[in-house]
Amino acid sequence: MSTTASDCIFCKIVAGEVPADVLGRNDHAVSIKDLNPQAPFHALVIPVDHHDNAAASAAADPASIGHLVGQGDEVARGSGNTDYRIIANTGAGAGQTVFHTHLHVLGGSSRMSEHLV
């Protein structure tokens, strides 16, 4: 059973009510191009079910995070990126601005490092 929030932009994208540049879709998630890319390749992987953040998704359905990572790998590799970064911001203090679980998949830059701050 899918859960949604009526005012959530990502729920509306998943439902096809708001247009997006879709890179991939399966029963668990939709992948789209980020509107404000932070790397040459920047996709968002959005689960079909609405939960506020990755921790809430994992608590509700631990397998959901695996589905998201798998979809992230598929769209990254499909775009020619065998090396990429996956980020999940959890909470406003960590930079989360849309409170629907989503992963950022970034690639295409040889300048990425483990230095995050």
Side-chain angles (χ1 to χ4, degrees):
M1 179 169 110
S2 181
T3 58
T4 62
S6 62
D7 61 342
C8 174
I9 188 69
F10 285 172
C11 287
K12 291 176 181 179
I13 289 171
V14 167
E17 298 169 7
V18 171
D21 192 348
V22 176
L23 300 171
R25 178 184 291 269
N26 62 31
D27 292 341
H28 305 284
V30 174
S31 299
I32 64 172
K33 286 188 178 179
D34 193 290
L35 290 177
N36 184 25
Q38 302 299 304
F41 175 78
H42 188 167
L44 301 177
V45 181
I46 307 165
V48 170
D49 287 339
H50 179 93
H51 294 285
D52 285 346
N53 56 54
S57 287
D61 177 10
S64 67
I65 300 301
H67 292 303
L68 295 181
V69 171
Q71 176 77 351
D73 179 69
E74 185 177 311
V75 297
R77 290 180 183 278
S79 295
N81 294 283
T82 56
D83 298 326
Y84 55 88
R85 174 175 285 163
I86 292 179
I87 300 170
N89 299 325
T90 300
Q96 185 178 5
T97 58
V98 178
F99 294 90
H100 179 124
T101 301
H102 59 285
L103 301 181
H104 295 261
V105 182
L106 301 110
S109 174
S110 60
R111 295 178 292 149
M112 286 193 269
S113 71
E114 289 191 41
H115 183 72
L116 298 176
V117 244

